[in-house]
């Protein structure tokens, strides 16, 4: 079955550490996205990529970095510059507005 | 991009029909209206999309008046499992990379 796989499901980070969240899709979608969701809030766009080797900042890109070396993969690195990284992170891919498919999310906690 | 406004929360009982209205006064000619559903700790999933008049699928109906400045998601005979957050989004194919998920509408279905 086609879909998006995010890993790990839970991640714990120490202060000052960088961590990388994995996102892989086999839907052959060109566009991929990373969103952040805080408790009781909507989704906020961190980064998005429309094609391989190209990506753009979303609304809250500071403290995050991404790469898009392969169509299937769009990893997100949460750097030590992100002051409040504890949140639920969602990866998605799409073919147009209807084709948004989300992964199951990664819950990141700073310890 | 057109901004959307939805009620923050709604309550209903099992077996009732639920109508969630979304306002999008600045909708553009090429914009489609799309609704997503999100359960706790999961990614949103597509429910329905429309451009004008009425669209119906196996889970919901979408009513769009002629001026398209609002839309109503209708869930027939809700069950407890319909308790979720519902997001209304507006955008066209060119702006799909920047879809904005607001806070959505939290629907609570009671027994």
């Amino acid at each position: 079955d086609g879909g998006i796989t995010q890993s790990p499901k839970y991640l714990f980070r120490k202060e000052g550490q960088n961590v990388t969240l994995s996102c892989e899709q086999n839907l052959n979608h060109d566009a991929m996205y990373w969103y952040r969701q805080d408790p009781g809030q909507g989704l906020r766009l961190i980064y998005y990529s429309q094609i391989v080797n190209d990506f753009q900042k979303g609304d809250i890109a500071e403290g995050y970095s991404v790469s898009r070396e392969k169509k299937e993969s769009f990893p997100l690195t949460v750097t030590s510059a992100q002051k409040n990284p504890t949140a639920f992170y969602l990866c998605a891919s799409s073919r147009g507005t209807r084709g948004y498919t989300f992964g199951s999310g990664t819950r990141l906690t700073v310890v | 991009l057109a901004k959307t406004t939805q009620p923050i929360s709604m309550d209903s009982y099992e077996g009732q029909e639920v109508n969630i209205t979304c306002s999008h006064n600045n909708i553009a000619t090429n914009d489609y209206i799309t609704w997503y559903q999100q359960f706790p700790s999961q990614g949103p999933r597509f429910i329905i999309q429309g451009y004008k008049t009425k669209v119906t699928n196996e889970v919901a109906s979408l009513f769009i008046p002629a001026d398209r400045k609002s839309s109503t998601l209708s869930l027939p005979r809700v069950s407890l499992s319909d308790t979720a957050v519902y997001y209304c989004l507006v955008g066209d194919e060119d702006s799909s990379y920047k879809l904005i998920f607001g806070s959505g509408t939290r629907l609570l279905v009671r027994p």
Side-chain angles (χ1 to χ4, degrees):
Chain A
D1 288 339
I4 294 186
T5 301
Q6 287 188 243
S7 62
K9 190 171 180 63
Y10 299 96
L11 186 58
F12 297 91
R13 191 194 91 168
K14 293 182 179 179
E15 295 277 355
Q17 270 187 341
N18 292 353
V19 291
T20 298
L21 284 59
S22 171
C23 179
E24 303 278 335
Q25 56 103 354
N26 60 4
L27 299 166
N28 199 34
H29 285 169
D30 289 318
M32 296 188 73
Y33 318 77
W34 275 103
Y35 288 91
R36 169 182 171 140
Q37 187 171 37
D38 293 288
Q41 304 297 314
L43 283 69
R44 291 186 291 169
L45 184 63
I46 305 173
Y47 268 98
Y48 64 98
S49 169
Q50 297 173 249
I51 57 174
V52 174
N53 292 323
D54 187 49
F55 48 83
Q56 286 77 41
K57 294 181 179 180
D59 299 321
I60 55 166
E62 184 175 352
Y64 300 98
S65 66
V66 294
S67 63
R68 187 85 187 277
E69 298 177 0
K70 299 186 301 181
K71 187 175 185 178
E72 301 79 16
S73 179
F74 192 40
L76 173 74
T77 297
V78 184
T79 74
S80 57
Q82 172 48 240
K83 299 306 179 187
N84 185 23
T86 295
F88 187 51
Y89 291 87
L90 285 161
C91 178
S93 69
S94 81
R95 186 188 304 125
T97 58
R98 177 178 184 145
Y100 261 56
T101 302
F102 283 84
S104 55
T106 293
R107 191 166 297 281
L108 173 63
T109 304
V110 174
V111 296
Chain B
L1 292 174
K3 180 180 177 180
T4 61
T5 302
Q6 308 174 230
I8 294 174
S9 64
M10 295 182 67
D11 280 15
S12 183
Y13 291 92
E14 280 190 294
Q16 288 188 334
E17 178 184 75
V18 171
N19 296 310
I20 306 175
T21 297
C22 178
S23 296
H24 28 79
N25 292 319
N26 296 323
I27 190 169
T29 303
N30 295 330
D31 286 345
Y32 282 78
I33 300 155
T34 312
W35 286 81
Y36 282 79
Q37 174 192 56
Q38 185 182 25
F39 298 112
S41 297
Q42 294 185 26
R45 66 170 189 166
F46 171 87
I47 301 176
I48 197 166
Q49 184 183 64
Y51 183 80
K52 62 180 179 180
T53 62
K54 176 183 175 182
V55 179
T56 298
N57 62 22
E58 63 276 9
V59 298
S61 294
L62 179 60
F63 298 92
I64 306 168
D67 66 6
R68 304 201 324 123
K69 293 184 182 298
S70 67
S71 59
T72 299
L73 174 72
S74 181
L75 304 172
R77 299 180 297 282
V78 294
S79 64
L80 297 178
S81 62
D82 292 316
T83 293
V85 178
Y86 294 82
Y87 296 96
C88 166
L89 296 91
V90 172
D92 61 19
E93 291 295 316
D94 290 335
S95 66
S96 64
Y97 307 110
K98 303 177 184 177
L99 283 184
I100 299 172
F101 286 78
S103 298
T105 297
R106 294 183 174 275
L107 172 64
L108 174 61
V109 179
R110 302 177 186 274

